[in-house]
Amino acid sequence: MIATPTAVNSLYALGALIGIEGAMLEAYAAQDMHGGVDDGWPNGSLWQSEGRALYALVRALGAERVVELGTWHGCSASHIAQALADAGQGGMLDSVDIWTEAGDRIPDDLRPVIRFHHTDMCAWALEQAVAGADYDLIYEDGEHDTLSVAQVWALAERLLRPGGVIVSHDALHSAVGTAVRAGIEASGLTPVYVQLGGSDCGMAIWRRD
């Protein structure tokens, strides 16, 4: 049986557990002005607090290469792309979703830093791993089934640069969280769980040494 883990509820606490200064995460998060499912985005999007956490992680890591597996309407992509644009280092987001309309609500001014890939996310991730791709951050928010999560997390060490981070959304969700956590457990990696700003979804986060 997959137990429900204890989750931290602040960026400061998260930073202490993954080796990033918590005050820096909080400061970056305060700069992000995009919303979430609790602020106008469609159901299935992440919460505003979670989007701000993604923004903060991208900025704090100095990320230049980010991949998102599961785009939906583009809420998480907007937070990530804004962080890359604000950093001004020429960073790019690869956003992968088989749905051809994915990302339809991303602001036009952020689209130049996004490459869209309308294909199966697990097959795409494996192709990147075989090709030797190295990312600073992976954000997984796809099918929410054990197999696909396990496949992505099993590739994390191959896809991430040293110090890079993988994040899975909905890891604490009442409907799909058990399946997401089972997939993570199958990978053999041990994440930190975080639940922010009233979200009932939660995120699992692991950082490569």
Side-chain angles (χ1 to χ4, degrees), residues 14-208:
L14 170 65
L17 293 171
I18 63 172
I20 299 176
E21 185 181 345
M24 179 169 58
L25 288 174
E26 291 180 338
Y28 277 133
Q31 297 176 23
D32 176 59
M33 294 295 108
H34 292 284
V37 70
D38 51 330
D39 187 35
W41 283 83
N43 287 338
S45 304
L46 84 176
W47 287 58
Q48 183 179 54
S49 57
E50 296 167 333
R52 290 179 173 176
L54 283 181
Y55 177 97
L57 283 168
V58 172
R59 294 297 306 276
L61 291 168
E64 297 180 9
R65 288 174 50 81
V66 180
V67 59
E68 170 188 59
L69 303 171
T71 310
W72 193 224
H73 290 284
C75 183
S76 51
S78 296
H79 290 275
I80 294 168
Q82 188 69 64
L84 293 170
D86 289 349
Q89 298 176 344
M92 293 293 297
L93 167 64
D94 287 303
S95 192
V96 186
D97 196 306
I98 201 166
W99 180 39
T100 57
E101 299 299 317
D104 60 319
R105 291 191 53 174
I106 296 171
D108 289 342
D109 64 319
L110 294 177
R111 291 179 178 271
V113 301
I114 305 173
R115 291 183 289 249
F116 293 99
H117 308 271
H118 298 302
T119 188
D120 178 80
M121 70 175 204
C122 290
W124 190 90
L126 179 58
E127 289 174 1
Q128 299 307 301
V130 170
D134 53 348
Y135 286 94
D136 299 297
L137 188 143
I138 301 166
Y139 178 66
E140 183 276 320
D141 190 12
E143 297 299 325
H144 305 104
D145 65 280
T146 297
L147 180 59
S148 65
V149 175
Q151 289 175 332
V152 171
W153 277 69
L155 294 171
E157 290 185 279
R158 294 171 63 185
L159 286 170
L160 288 171
R161 295 173 176 174
V165 169
I166 182 170
V167 180
S168 270
H169 193 230
D170 290 309
L172 299 173
H173 194 278
S174 59
V176 300
T178 299
V180 172
R181 295 194 303 275
I184 294 170
E185 184 174 291
S187 75
L189 303 180
T190 304
V192 173
Y193 291 91
V194 59
Q195 198 154 23
L196 300 168
S199 169
D200 61 351
C201 299
M203 299 189 294
I205 300 175
W206 177 81
R207 189 178 190 194
R208 184 184 171 192

